[in-house]
Amino acid sequence: MAPSEEIARLERELAELRSHYVHLERNGRVMKRGSMFMLAALAVFLGYLLWADFVMGALAVVAAAAIAAIVWLLPASNRRWIDAGTPMGEFEFGPSQAQKVEQWIADREARLAELRLAGSASSPATDR
């Protein structure tokens, strides 16, 4: 494949991957908003439960606080909303779709830079 054709192909792929990544970022923001809404609903429910039946409400608050503490204390090495909002298969482990797309974008940008550098090095200088 000619370098100019490969450059054009890589630019098209990069545009598609960046568009896909924008959609993944949007999914992450939707996931964050949805989670905040669910936490607010849970707080209202726990407040009602405390008001209606104090003992059961206190038990529910303690259970919710224990779950929150466990989640809070888990190592947060690579937890991101974009990864939480990324669809994954039932038995899919490893990097999320967002991490894969980030890697694909980096690979194509590096290859594109190599091709452009090789193209500029092989063409004669025209600024003399």
Side-chain angles (χ1 to χ4, degrees):
M1 181 182 300
S4 61
E5 292 174 2
E6 189 173 359
I7 287 173
R9 180 185 59 83
L10 286 171
E11 287 174 345
R12 279 192 311 273
E13 288 178 2
L14 270 171
E16 291 171 7
L17 287 170
R18 287 182 178 133
S19 171
H20 185 63
Y21 193 76
V22 166
H23 290 297
L24 292 174
E25 285 178 327
R26 183 182 58 82
N27 287 348
R29 286 191 305 272
V30 168
M31 183 74 169
K32 184 176 184 178
R33 280 189 222 121
S35 297
M36 294 303 141
F37 175 77
M38 291 303 291
L39 286 174
L42 178 64
V44 168
F45 175 72
L46 289 175
Y48 170 75
L49 201 54
L50 277 170
W51 176 74
D53 184 3
F54 184 77
V55 173
M56 200 60 170
L59 182 64
V61 167
V62 167
I67 291 171
I70 289 171
V71 170
W72 185 267
L73 295 175
L74 285 175
S77 60
N78 61 356
R79 280 188 282 172
R80 303 180 307 169
W81 284 108
I82 191 170
D83 296 328
T86 301
M88 292 188 70
E90 186 175 344
F91 298 108
E92 187 175 342
F93 299 103
S96 70
Q97 185 68 26
Q99 291 169 333
K100 290 176 187 175
V101 170
E102 289 168 353
Q103 184 60 47
W104 295 336
I105 288 173
D107 292 344
R108 281 160 180 80
E109 285 176 342
R111 178 66 181 146
L112 193 58
E114 288 174 9
L115 287 172
R116 287 186 174 150
L117 184 64
S120 66
S122 66
S123 65
T126 57
D127 58 348
R128 292 183 194 182

